[in-house]
Amino acid sequence: MKLPRSLGSGGYILPLVAVVVALLALVLLTVARVQSDLSPALRLQAADGERARAAHGLAARVAFLLLTEPLGPRSIRIGAGVEAGAGQAGMRSAAGVHLRELRLDGRSYAAGGGAAVSVQDEAGLFNLNSGDELMLAALLRQTGINARASEQLAAALADYVDADDLSRANGAEEAEYRRARLSPPINRTMVNRWSARGALGWSAHLQSAEALWRLTTVADGGATLNINTAPAPVLRAALGEGRQVETFLRERERQSMSLMNQGEGLAGTRAGAAGVELAAEPGSAFRLVVAFEAGASRREIESQLLLAGAEAERPYYWREARYVWADGGRQSGDVKTLPTSPLIHAP
């Protein structure tokens, strides 16, 4: 006996096919949606990888300049060999190479590919381990913190890093941290400047402290300040905000690299409550910041170049510090191109 057509196997094929097609379409739509959601993240990751590669290349270029060109009071003197005869402004080296300079005060240079690079001699920055309350309070005021909060934050940080348990005026020791339910003071020098957030009041008052981080460093040993590479807010914090400082800043900017001797008269003198020693020469640590434009913001990669001693296994060490998004678009004003070494183009 034959089954009715409606009960035969052929009656189930079309509905089954329709269900399978619908399921496949749903799966494809889901996969497409996931890929669409992931593609911005993948693009951002690829862009970050390309930025990191470019930053590494620029770090190598700057390190090459530091190792092969003479260091002046405020800059790398590019093209100035031992026979350059550096006593006159604007002259050329013995090989006929025009002398140029890469300033070590954190100013930006165009580096191609939408990147800008700045090099800051860290000897020109305020050392957060110095314990100098007065200078730190003055620097905090320079970054927009009111006078009372600046004094409290400076005293709190000094107590945070010193080895004793005596609380300064406006400062804080372990008892105050316990009442605030915070970790106690570290009572030793900080290994990075962001550790200052652990001091009482710093996280609350300095939620966005990018301006301060750009002007500060951490270092062991005696506190020195190269006034030839110190940014203007650091110099004002060290020497006051009088007419003499403003005159020095103008002269420092106007003088050519071969006549740059303004800092020699102040070198060796003391400033600030902790007796920060003023210097006229750069140190051995340099902060490198490579910035890439990203619409209304900038993606910055910060690293540190450390020149090694003569007995070291390597001539320099490179430390990557952080990636940060910074507000503000392309810089205004006359931005020069990052100089290159004449040795690269030599036969």
Side-chain angles (χ1 to χ4, degrees), residues 188-230:
R188 54 178 171 78
T189 56
M190 295 178 291
V191 296
N192 63 66
R193 58 196 192 276
W194 306 288
S195 298
R197 292 195 185 104
L200 189 67
W202 276 66
S203 292
H205 283 87
L206 298 171
Q207 295 180 359
S208 178
E210 194 58 39
L212 180 66
W213 303 141
R214 294 177 187 275
L215 301 172
T216 56
T217 186
V218 291
D220 295 327
T224 60
L225 179 69
N226 180 12
I227 61 175
N228 289 321
T229 59

mmCIF file of all heavy atoms in Angstrom, residues 188-230:
data_model
loop_
_atom_site.group_PDB
_atom_site.id
_atom_site.type_symbol
_atom_site.label_atom_id
_atom_site.label_comp_id
_atom_site.label_asym_id
_atom_site.label_seq_id
_atom_site.Cartn_x
_atom_site.Cartn_y
_atom_site.Cartn_z
ATOM 1 N N ARG A 188 61.569 55.131 51.970
ATOM 2 C CA ARG A 188 62.758 54.930 51.132
ATOM 3 C C ARG A 188 62.530 55.672 49.829
ATOM 4 O O ARG A 188 61.424 56.144 49.548
ATOM 5 C CB ARG A 188 63.000 53.445 50.846
ATOM 6 C CG ARG A 188 61.808 52.728 50.256
ATOM 7 C CD ARG A 188 62.084 51.281 49.947
ATOM 8 N NE ARG A 188 60.893 50.550 49.581
ATOM 9 C CZ ARG A 188 60.297 50.610 48.384
ATOM 10 N NH1 ARG A 188 60.825 51.376 47.436
ATOM 11 N NH2 ARG A 188 59.220 49.917 48.129
ATOM 12 N N THR A 189 63.565 55.783 49.029
ATOM 13 C CA THR A 189 63.429 56.482 47.764
ATOM 14 C C THR A 189 62.507 55.723 46.811
ATOM 15 O O THR A 189 62.444 54.491 46.841
ATOM 16 C CB THR A 189 64.801 56.669 47.096
ATOM 17 O OG1 THR A 189 65.416 55.377 46.943
ATOM 18 C CG2 THR A 189 65.698 57.561 47.939
ATOM 19 N N MET A 190 61.795 56.462 45.993
ATOM 20 C CA MET A 190 60.875 55.861 45.028
ATOM 21 C C MET A 190 61.643 55.402 43.793
ATOM 22 O O MET A 190 62.629 56.022 43.404
ATOM 23 C CB MET A 190 59.802 56.881 44.630
ATOM 24 C CG MET A 190 58.879 57.278 45.768
ATOM 25 S SD MET A 190 57.662 58.536 45.269
ATOM 26 C CE MET A 190 58.715 59.977 45.033
ATOM 27 N N VAL A 191 61.171 54.321 43.185
ATOM 28 C CA VAL A 191 61.818 53.797 41.981
ATOM 29 C C VAL A 191 61.200 54.375 40.716
ATOM 30 O O VAL A 191 61.780 54.297 39.641
ATOM 31 C CB VAL A 191 61.756 52.259 41.941
ATOM 32 C CG1 VAL A 191 62.533 51.662 43.095
ATOM 33 C CG2 VAL A 191 60.313 51.771 41.960
ATOM 34 N N ASN A 192 60.010 54.942 40.802
ATOM 35 C CA ASN A 192 59.419 55.661 39.676
ATOM 36 C C ASN A 192 58.561 56.788 40.223
ATOM 37 O O ASN A 192 58.135 56.765 41.384
ATOM 38 C CB ASN A 192 58.607 54.736 38.752
ATOM 39 C CG ASN A 192 57.414 54.123 39.466
ATOM 40 O OD1 ASN A 192 56.488 54.807 39.861
ATOM 41 N ND2 ASN A 192 57.440 52.795 39.617
ATOM 42 N N ARG A 193 58.299 57.795 39.401
ATOM 43 C CA ARG A 193 57.637 58.990 39.904
ATOM 44 C C ARG A 193 56.174 58.773 40.216
ATOM 45 O O ARG A 193 55.601 59.507 41.019
ATOM 46 C CB ARG A 193 57.826 60.151 38.922
ATOM 47 C CG ARG A 193 57.322 59.941 37.513
ATOM 48 C CD ARG A 193 57.940 60.992 36.594
ATOM 49 N NE ARG A 193 57.360 61.109 35.262
ATOM 50 C CZ ARG A 193 57.698 60.342 34.248
ATOM 51 N NH1 ARG A 193 58.601 59.366 34.410
ATOM 52 N NH2 ARG A 193 57.140 60.529 33.060
ATOM 53 N N TRP A 194 55.531 57.759 39.615
ATOM 54 C CA TRP A 194 54.121 57.508 39.875
ATOM 55 C C TRP A 194 53.893 56.899 41.254
ATOM 56 O O TRP A 194 52.769 56.873 41.741
ATOM 57 C CB TRP A 194 53.549 56.620 38.784
ATOM 58 C CG TRP A 194 53.811 57.195 37.434
ATOM 59 C CD1 TRP A 194 53.227 58.298 36.869
ATOM 60 C CD2 TRP A 194 54.772 56.735 36.482
ATOM 61 N NE1 TRP A 194 53.754 58.547 35.633
ATOM 62 C CE2 TRP A 194 54.710 57.608 35.358
ATOM 63 C CE3 TRP A 194 55.676 55.679 36.463
ATOM 64 C CZ2 TRP A 194 55.517 57.438 34.242
ATOM 65 C CZ3 TRP A 194 56.489 55.518 35.360
ATOM 66 C CH2 TRP A 194 56.400 56.384 34.257
ATOM 67 N N SER A 195 54.966 56.432 41.904
ATOM 68 C CA SER A 195 54.825 55.940 43.278
ATOM 69 C C SER A 195 54.392 57.048 44.226
ATOM 70 O O SER A 195 53.891 56.768 45.312
ATOM 71 C CB SER A 195 56.157 55.344 43.762
ATOM 72 O OG SER A 195 56.540 54.237 42.968
ATOM 73 N N ALA A 196 54.562 58.297 43.817
ATOM 74 C CA ALA A 196 54.147 59.421 44.660
ATOM 75 C C ALA A 196 52.647 59.405 44.921
ATOM 76 O O ALA A 196 52.185 60.009 45.899
ATOM 77 C CB ALA A 196 54.544 60.740 44.004
ATOM 78 N N ARG A 197 51.878 58.720 44.082
ATOM 79 C CA ARG A 197 50.433 58.635 44.313
ATOM 80 C C ARG A 197 50.109 57.963 45.644
ATOM 81 O O ARG A 197 49.021 58.127 46.176
ATOM 82 C CB ARG A 197 49.766 57.849 43.179
ATOM 83 C CG ARG A 197 49.770 58.546 41.823
ATOM 84 C CD ARG A 197 48.786 57.851 40.916
ATOM 85 N NE ARG A 197 48.807 58.375 39.554
ATOM 86 C CZ ARG A 197 49.372 57.776 38.521
ATOM 87 N NH1 ARG A 197 49.986 56.608 38.695
ATOM 88 N NH2 ARG A 197 49.335 58.304 37.313
ATOM 89 N N GLY A 198 51.064 57.181 46.191
ATOM 90 C CA GLY A 198 50.814 56.518 47.464
ATOM 91 C C GLY A 198 50.905 57.444 48.658
ATOM 92 O O GLY A 198 50.473 57.090 49.758
ATOM 93 N N ALA A 199 51.474 58.642 48.479
ATOM 94 C CA ALA A 199 51.575 59.596 49.589
ATOM 95 C C ALA A 199 50.197 60.153 49.916
ATOM 96 O O ALA A 199 49.341 60.309 49.028
ATOM 97 C CB ALA A 199 52.538 60.720 49.229
ATOM 98 N N LEU A 200 49.982 60.462 51.180
ATOM 99 C CA LEU A 200 48.672 60.917 51.650
ATOM 100 C C LEU A 200 48.233 62.164 50.887
ATOM 101 O O LEU A 200 48.957 63.152 50.812
ATOM 102 C CB LEU A 200 48.734 61.221 53.145
ATOM 103 C CG LEU A 200 47.390 61.491 53.830
ATOM 104 C CD1 LEU A 200 46.550 60.217 53.850
ATOM 105 C CD2 LEU A 200 47.596 62.012 55.258
ATOM 106 N N GLY A 201 47.053 62.093 50.313
ATOM 107 C CA GLY A 201 46.466 63.228 49.610
ATOM 108 C C GLY A 201 46.802 63.316 48.136
ATOM 109 O O GLY A 201 46.141 64.050 47.400
ATOM 110 N N TRP A 202 47.800 62.584 47.678
ATOM 111 C CA TRP A 202 48.227 62.740 46.292
ATOM 112 C C TRP A 202 47.203 62.203 45.299
ATOM 113 O O TRP A 202 46.949 62.836 44.285
ATOM 114 C CB TRP A 202 49.588 62.075 46.096
ATOM 115 C CG TRP A 202 50.709 62.993 46.482
ATOM 116 C CD1 TRP A 202 50.988 63.457 47.736
ATOM 117 C CD2 TRP A 202 51.671 63.581 45.607
ATOM 118 N NE1 TRP A 202 52.067 64.300 47.708
ATOM 119 C CE2 TRP A 202 52.516 64.384 46.405
ATOM 120 C CE3 TRP A 202 51.912 63.496 44.251
ATOM 121 C CZ2 TRP A 202 53.570 65.117 45.870
ATOM 122 C CZ3 TRP A 202 52.976 64.211 43.704
ATOM 123 C CH2 TRP A 202 53.780 65.007 44.511
ATOM 124 N N SER A 203 46.629 61.060 45.570
ATOM 125 C CA SER A 203 45.640 60.512 44.633
ATOM 126 C C SER A 203 44.406 61.393 44.554
ATOM 127 O O SER A 203 43.814 61.563 43.479
ATOM 128 C CB SER A 203 45.243 59.088 45.043
ATOM 129 O OG SER A 203 46.316 58.197 44.888
ATOM 130 N N ALA A 204 44.004 61.970 45.689
ATOM 131 C CA ALA A 204 42.802 62.800 45.708
ATOM 132 C C ALA A 204 43.019 64.127 44.989
ATOM 133 O O ALA A 204 42.170 64.587 44.226
ATOM 134 C CB ALA A 204 42.365 63.054 47.155
ATOM 135 N N HIS A 205 44.167 64.771 45.221
ATOM 136 C CA HIS A 205 44.413 66.094 44.645
ATOM 137 C C HIS A 205 44.972 66.029 43.235
ATOM 138 O O HIS A 205 44.837 66.982 42.467
ATOM 139 C CB HIS A 205 45.384 66.887 45.532
ATOM 140 C CG HIS A 205 44.761 67.450 46.765
ATOM 141 N ND1 HIS A 205 44.671 66.730 47.938
ATOM 142 C CD2 HIS A 205 44.185 68.657 47.009
ATOM 143 C CE1 HIS A 205 44.081 67.475 48.852
ATOM 144 N NE2 HIS A 205 43.769 68.638 48.321
ATOM 145 N N LEU A 206 45.645 64.925 42.902
ATOM 146 C CA LEU A 206 46.341 64.838 41.620
ATOM 147 C C LEU A 206 45.816 63.669 40.793
ATOM 148 O O LEU A 206 46.562 62.794 40.372
ATOM 149 C CB LEU A 206 47.850 64.695 41.835
ATOM 150 C CG LEU A 206 48.513 65.882 42.545
ATOM 151 C CD1 LEU A 206 49.947 65.543 42.911
ATOM 152 C CD2 LEU A 206 48.477 67.116 41.671
ATOM 153 N N GLN A 207 44.492 63.659 40.566
ATOM 154 C CA GLN A 207 43.916 62.598 39.748
ATOM 155 C C GLN A 207 44.454 62.653 38.320
ATOM 156 O O GLN A 207 44.650 61.637 37.669
ATOM 157 C CB GLN A 207 42.393 62.726 39.762
ATOM 158 C CG GLN A 207 41.771 62.484 41.130
ATOM 159 C CD GLN A 207 40.262 62.624 41.123
ATOM 160 O OE1 GLN A 207 39.660 62.932 40.096
ATOM 161 N NE2 GLN A 207 39.642 62.409 42.263
ATOM 162 N N SER A 208 44.652 63.856 37.813
ATOM 163 C CA SER A 208 45.277 64.033 36.507
ATOM 164 C C SER A 208 46.510 64.900 36.712
ATOM 165 O O SER A 208 46.425 66.123 36.780
ATOM 166 C CB SER A 208 44.304 64.703 35.523
ATOM 167 O OG SER A 208 44.930 64.916 34.277
ATOM 168 N N ALA A 209 47.667 64.253 36.838
ATOM 169 C CA ALA A 209 48.904 64.962 37.184
ATOM 170 C C ALA A 209 49.909 64.931 36.053
ATOM 171 O O ALA A 209 51.101 64.994 36.289
ATOM 172 C CB ALA A 209 49.504 64.345 38.449
ATOM 173 N N GLU A 210 49.416 64.867 34.810
ATOM 174 C CA GLU A 210 50.334 64.733 33.682
ATOM 175 C C GLU A 210 51.319 65.895 33.614
ATOM 176 O O GLU A 210 52.494 65.708 33.290
ATOM 177 C CB GLU A 210 49.539 64.637 32.378
ATOM 178 C CG GLU A 210 50.355 64.154 31.196
ATOM 179 C CD GLU A 210 50.980 62.796 31.447
ATOM 180 O OE1 GLU A 210 50.325 61.928 32.064
ATOM 181 O OE2 GLU A 210 52.144 62.603 31.041
ATOM 182 N N ALA A 211 50.850 67.111 33.921
ATOM 183 C CA ALA A 211 51.760 68.264 33.883
ATOM 184 C C ALA A 211 52.906 68.092 34.869
ATOM 185 O O ALA A 211 54.053 68.442 34.582
ATOM 186 C CB ALA A 211 50.985 69.543 34.187
ATOM 187 N N LEU A 212 52.613 67.524 36.050
ATOM 188 C CA LEU A 212 53.663 67.321 37.052
ATOM 189 C C LEU A 212 54.603 66.200 36.641
ATOM 190 O O LEU A 212 55.828 66.316 36.799
ATOM 191 C CB LEU A 212 53.035 67.010 38.411
ATOM 192 C CG LEU A 212 54.025 66.779 39.556
ATOM 193 C CD1 LEU A 212 54.786 68.067 39.865
ATOM 194 C CD2 LEU A 212 53.320 66.264 40.788
ATOM 195 N N TRP A 213 54.067 65.092 36.117
ATOM 196 C CA TRP A 213 54.929 63.966 35.736
ATOM 197 C C TRP A 213 55.932 64.384 34.671
ATOM 198 O O TRP A 213 57.047 63.864 34.621
ATOM 199 C CB TRP A 213 54.099 62.791 35.229
ATOM 200 C CG TRP A 213 53.071 62.252 36.155
ATOM 201 C CD1 TRP A 213 51.823 61.815 35.826
ATOM 202 C CD2 TRP A 213 53.162 62.052 37.585
ATOM 203 N NE1 TRP A 213 51.138 61.382 36.924
ATOM 204 C CE2 TRP A 213 51.940 61.523 38.024
ATOM 205 C CE3 TRP A 213 54.165 62.306 38.533
ATOM 206 C CZ2 TRP A 213 51.686 61.218 39.356
ATOM 207 C CZ3 TRP A 213 53.906 62.007 39.874
ATOM 208 C CH2 TRP A 213 52.704 61.472 40.272
ATOM 209 N N ARG A 214 55.565 65.310 33.792
ATOM 210 C CA ARG A 214 56.472 65.756 32.736
ATOM 211 C C ARG A 214 57.642 66.574 33.276
ATOM 212 O O ARG A 214 58.656 66.726 32.602
ATOM 213 C CB ARG A 214 55.707 66.580 31.702
ATOM 214 C CG ARG A 214 54.683 65.785 30.917
ATOM 215 C CD ARG A 214 53.909 66.677 29.950
ATOM 216 N NE ARG A 214 52.823 65.949 29.329
ATOM 217 C CZ ARG A 214 52.925 65.183 28.254
ATOM 218 N NH1 ARG A 214 54.118 65.058 27.678
ATOM 219 N NH2 ARG A 214 51.893 64.552 27.753
ATOM 220 N N LEU A 215 57.484 67.124 34.485
ATOM 221 C CA LEU A 215 58.501 68.016 35.048
ATOM 222 C C LEU A 215 59.328 67.356 36.142
ATOM 223 O O LEU A 215 60.209 68.001 36.714
ATOM 224 C CB LEU A 215 57.822 69.267 35.629
ATOM 225 C CG LEU A 215 57.001 70.095 34.648
ATOM 226 C CD1 LEU A 215 56.236 71.195 35.399
ATOM 227 C CD2 LEU A 215 57.874 70.704 33.564
ATOM 228 N N THR A 216 59.073 66.088 36.424
ATOM 229 C CA THR A 216 59.716 65.428 37.560
ATOM 230 C C THR A 216 60.388 64.137 37.142
ATOM 231 O O THR A 216 60.093 63.558 36.101
ATOM 232 C CB THR A 216 58.683 65.129 38.666
ATOM 233 O OG1 THR A 216 57.615 64.335 38.118
ATOM 234 C CG2 THR A 216 58.114 66.410 39.243
ATOM 235 N N THR A 217 61.288 63.683 38.016
ATOM 236 C CA THR A 217 61.974 62.415 37.833
ATOM 237 C C THR A 217 62.257 61.843 39.212
ATOM 238 O O THR A 217 61.931 62.457 40.231
ATOM 239 C CB THR A 217 63.276 62.611 37.037
ATOM 240 O OG1 THR A 217 63.858 61.340 36.743
ATOM 241 C CG2 THR A 217 64.275 63.466 37.804
ATOM 242 N N VAL A 218 62.853 60.672 39.257
ATOM 243 C CA VAL A 218 63.333 60.094 40.517
ATOM 244 C C VAL A 218 64.767 59.657 40.303
ATOM 245 O O VAL A 218 65.112 59.124 39.239
ATOM 246 C CB VAL A 218 62.471 58.912 40.996
ATOM 247 C CG1 VAL A 218 61.094 59.371 41.425
ATOM 248 C CG2 VAL A 218 62.350 57.839 39.925
ATOM 249 N N ALA A 219 65.610 59.932 41.280
ATOM 250 C CA ALA A 219 67.022 59.562 41.180
ATOM 251 C C ALA A 219 67.579 59.399 42.575
ATOM 252 O O ALA A 219 67.093 60.006 43.533
ATOM 253 C CB ALA A 219 67.802 60.620 40.415
ATOM 254 N N ASP A 220 68.595 58.559 42.695
ATOM 255 C CA ASP A 220 69.305 58.395 43.960
ATOM 256 C C ASP A 220 70.485 59.361 44.004
ATOM 257 O O ASP A 220 70.857 59.968 43.002
ATOM 258 C CB ASP A 220 69.808 56.952 44.107
ATOM 259 C CG ASP A 220 68.656 55.959 44.202
ATOM 260 O OD1 ASP A 220 67.612 56.330 44.762
ATOM 261 O OD2 ASP A 220 68.815 54.828 43.709
ATOM 262 N N GLY A 221 71.087 59.444 45.164
ATOM 263 C CA GLY A 221 72.273 60.283 45.297
ATOM 264 C C GLY A 221 71.915 61.748 45.441
ATOM 265 O O GLY A 221 70.777 62.130 45.694
ATOM 266 N N GLY A 222 72.912 62.584 45.276
ATOM 267 C CA GLY A 222 72.726 64.018 45.444
ATOM 268 C C GLY A 222 71.803 64.601 44.393
ATOM 269 O O GLY A 222 71.778 64.169 43.241
ATOM 270 N N ALA A 223 71.039 65.598 44.802
ATOM 271 C CA ALA A 223 70.098 66.236 43.896
ATOM 272 C C ALA A 223 70.797 67.359 43.135
ATOM 273 O O ALA A 223 71.321 68.297 43.736
ATOM 274 C CB ALA A 223 68.906 66.788 44.678
ATOM 275 N N THR A 224 70.839 67.261 41.813
ATOM 276 C CA THR A 224 71.410 68.312 40.971
ATOM 277 C C THR A 224 70.371 68.735 39.944
ATOM 278 O O THR A 224 69.478 67.964 39.592
ATOM 279 C CB THR A 224 72.681 67.833 40.248
ATOM 280 O OG1 THR A 224 72.350 66.705 39.426
ATOM 281 C CG2 THR A 224 73.763 67.450 41.247
ATOM 282 N N LEU A 225 70.514 69.957 39.462
ATOM 283 C CA LEU A 225 69.569 70.498 38.488
ATOM 284 C C LEU A 225 70.350 71.257 37.419
ATOM 285 O O LEU A 225 71.018 72.255 37.721
ATOM 286 C CB LEU A 225 68.575 71.437 39.173
ATOM 287 C CG LEU A 225 67.547 72.097 38.242
ATOM 288 C CD1 LEU A 225 66.571 71.046 37.718
ATOM 289 C CD2 LEU A 225 66.796 73.211 38.965
ATOM 290 N N ASN A 226 70.279 70.766 36.189
ATOM 291 C CA ASN A 226 70.926 71.442 35.068
ATOM 292 C C ASN A 226 70.031 72.587 34.609
ATOM 293 O O ASN A 226 68.994 72.359 33.981
ATOM 294 C CB ASN A 226 71.179 70.467 33.910
ATOM 295 C CG ASN A 226 71.856 71.138 32.723
ATOM 296 O OD1 ASN A 226 72.335 72.258 32.819
ATOM 297 N ND2 ASN A 226 71.877 70.433 31.604
ATOM 298 N N ILE A 227 70.425 73.807 34.906
ATOM 299 C CA ILE A 227 69.566 74.941 34.586
ATOM 300 C C ILE A 227 69.546 75.241 33.087
ATOM 301 O O ILE A 227 68.699 76.006 32.635
ATOM 302 C CB ILE A 227 69.994 76.193 35.371
ATOM 303 C CG1 ILE A 227 71.419 76.596 35.017
ATOM 304 C CG2 ILE A 227 69.853 75.963 36.858
ATOM 305 C CD1 ILE A 227 71.843 77.877 35.672
ATOM 306 N N ASN A 228 70.422 74.632 32.324
ATOM 307 C CA ASN A 228 70.426 74.840 30.876
ATOM 308 C C ASN A 228 69.409 73.969 30.151
ATOM 309 O O ASN A 228 69.093 74.232 28.989
ATOM 310 C CB ASN A 228 71.815 74.577 30.306
ATOM 311 C CG ASN A 228 72.804 75.656 30.701
ATOM 312 O OD1 ASN A 228 72.470 76.825 30.743
ATOM 313 N ND2 ASN A 228 74.031 75.251 31.010
ATOM 314 N N THR A 229 68.905 72.917 30.815
ATOM 315 C CA THR A 229 67.888 72.060 30.201
ATOM 316 C C THR A 229 66.612 71.993 31.019
ATOM 317 O O THR A 229 65.673 71.303 30.636
ATOM 318 C CB THR A 229 68.425 70.628 30.017
ATOM 319 O OG1 THR A 229 68.804 70.090 31.296
ATOM 320 C CG2 THR A 229 69.621 70.601 29.083
ATOM 321 N N ALA A 230 66.555 72.702 32.147
ATOM 322 C CA ALA A 230 65.361 72.676 32.998
ATOM 323 C C ALA A 230 64.214 73.403 32.314
ATOM 324 O O ALA A 230 64.394 74.531 31.839
ATOM 325 C CB ALA A 230 65.661 73.324 34.348
#
